[in-house]
Structure formats: structure tokens, C-alpha cells
Amino acid sequence: MIPLCWYATVNHLNEAPVSEESSDEDDKECETCRSTGANESSSNSDLSAENTCRPPGINNEDSCEPILSEESKVLLGEQIKQISMHFPPRLTACTWTLEYSTMKHGTSLRTLYRSMQGLDCSTFIVIKDTDGQVFGAFCSSPLRVSDCFYGTGETFLFSFSPELQVFKWTSENSFFVKGNLDSFAFGGGRGIFGLWLDGDLYHGRSHTCDTFNNDILSKTEDFFVHVMEVWALK
């Protein structure tokens, strides 16, 4: 598109001689038009790039802007924003990489452990059960087979029921995470777990535990997994 100021300059030249001063002013006006157009084009490109890396439901004005490697099949954009605000400050705007999904990789705890090999970062586990309840856990390290409990006080449990509830470490004990080939669990004490899943990642159980003093995350103590995702947070 030819700037309007160019037409103005040509018409003026056809009508009468142009002084050196007015010619300079026209040049400045045209330069302003070109500069403005370039800036608008650059802004539109930047805006388009920003929109491609945010999950649906998170707009450009949000200060907390996690970036997902792909769309979550469990969490909505607003839920992602809400839960990420409870991550440690270094992770509030981190990149989420989907390392394991029952929809993509099947239902096997061994497969889940293999997907965690080589990782050295925090992980986020989210479950949608057959009742439609959404809940899970944040872990300060990848899930792995262990002889004893591991993790740090950054670990927490959460549930959207339907509003977000987050259950942080109570300092009562350090039973954060424990995994073997048959099951893995978050939180414990007195023989019960805050969140427990079997080796098929299908049957689970949730109790109030001393580690997090959490409510039961699912609608009932026993639940069945519909979809489960594990994200690496970097």
C-alpha cells in the first residue's frame, strides 16, 4: 500500500514549485508513516507469537503465563493459571512438557518411571477420575522407584472440587513421595496415604494424611483413573 503522504507530495509537486523547506517536511512526514507502519507490523507479529505459546483461557494481560508443550486433556487454561500460582516462584512462568499421559502411553507405572529417566526437574501430576473430579500433586523431583520416602517441603496436593484447594506441607513428617513397581504414593502417616495409585494407574485411593492434612481429593476414598498426565516443569 502506498502511504497517503506520497500522494500529497506528488500533487503538490504538480501544482507548484516546492521550496526546499517544504520538501524536507514532506520527507519527514513520509518517514513517520513508514516508521509507524513498521512498528504496527512488528507489534502484530509479537502478539501473534505470544498467543501461540499460551494455553486456551490465558490472555495476554495475565502476569502468570505458563507455556505448555501441548494442550492438556485434563486442565482448562484458567485452572492451569490458578495452580501454577502455587508453584515455587522460580516455576510460576515455566515451560510444561508432557512426559507421560495415559491417553498416549497406556496405563503402566513402569512406563511412567521410564518416561522420568534422565529428568532433573520438578514434576506435576494431574488426574481426572471417572467421576469427573480433577486432582493431583506437585513434586519437587521426577517420580522414581525408591526404598524410602523422598522429596522436599515444596511438595503439595491439590483438588478442584470444583474450586481449587491446595494442601501444603504441615511439617508433621517428611513422607512426601514413595514409589515401587506396584504403586506410588504422596503423603503418609499411620499407614494411610494422601494420594495412592496402583501399578496399572487405574485404581487409586485418597485419605487425609499427616503430611499435608488434606481433604479426600476424590469424591470417595477409592477412585478410578480416567485420564492421568505427568508434566515436567522447567
Side-chain angles (χ1 to χ4, degrees):
M1 179 182 292
I2 301 175
L4 292 177
C5 55
W6 187 86
Y7 287 111
T9 303
V10 173
N11 290 335
H12 189 57
L13 284 171
N14 290 335
E15 292 174 0
V18 181
S19 67
E20 183 176 348
E21 180 178 355
S22 64
S23 177
D24 290 344
E25 291 176 354
D26 288 339
D27 288 343
K28 290 178 181 179
E29 183 179 356
C30 287
E31 182 63 32
T32 300
C33 292
R34 288 193 295 270
S35 176
T36 302
N39 288 338
E40 290 177 352
S41 176
S42 175
S43 297
N44 290 335
S45 297
D46 291 343
L47 189 60
S48 176
E50 289 177 358
N51 286 336
T52 59
C53 49
R54 292 188 181 90
I58 296 182
N59 58 46
N60 297 327
E61 297 180 355
D62 291 322
S63 58
C64 179
E65 301 172 350
I67 302 171
L68 275 65
S69 63
E70 55 191 276
E71 183 180 357
S72 172
K73 303 302 183 184
V74 179
L75 292 174
L76 302 175
E78 185 61 27
Q79 291 175 320
I80 291 170
K81 177 187 173 184
Q82 290 175 13
I83 194 64
S84 65
M85 293 175 68
H86 293 275
F87 292 168
R90 68 182 184 279
L91 296 174
T92 52
C94 67
T95 299
W96 295 33
T97 303
L98 185 62
E99 297 292 344
Y100 176 84
S101 166
T102 54
M103 296 183 68
K104 295 176 63 175
H105 305 104
T107 55
S108 169
L109 183 55
R110 292 172 184 261
T111 302
L112 169 56
Y113 287 143
R114 283 196 294 270
S115 72
M116 299 285 101
Q117 291 179 358
L119 293 180
D120 184 20
C121 61
S122 299
T123 50
F124 179 71
I125 299 89
V126 59
I127 297 165
K128 184 175 184 179
D129 69 13
T130 53
D131 289 325
Q133 189 82 343
V134 175
F135 51 91
F138 170 87
C139 182
S140 56
S141 62
L143 300 178
R144 57 183 172 84
V145 176
S146 59
D147 294 328
C148 56
F149 281 90
Y150 63 93
T152 70
E154 292 179 335
T155 307
F156 65 79
L157 300 177
F158 73 92
S159 174
F160 285 97
S161 55
E163 300 300 321
L164 175 62
Q165 292 180 291
V166 175
F167 305 99
K168 297 293 185 73
W169 180 40
T170 63
S171 301
E172 186 70 21
N173 60 44
S174 298
F175 300 158
F176 300 115
V177 193
K178 188 179 187 301
N180 55 44
L181 296 178
D182 299 319
S183 65
F184 78 87
F186 288 86
R190 296 177 291 175
I192 57 177
F193 304 107
L195 176 61
W196 174 91
L197 281 169
D198 69 3
D200 293 326
L201 301 181
Y202 178 63
H203 175 226
R205 187 173 294 126
S206 177
H207 293 97
T208 300
C209 71
D210 294 338
T211 313
F212 303 110
N213 192 31
N214 57 286
D215 294 340
I216 295 175
L217 304 178
S218 45
K219 289 184 178 180
T220 58
E221 291 182 351
D222 289 273
F223 64 85
F224 296 96
V225 176
H226 178 57
V227 183
M228 174 178 170
E229 295 175 344
V230 182
W231 299 81
L233 307 178
K234 304 175 182 179

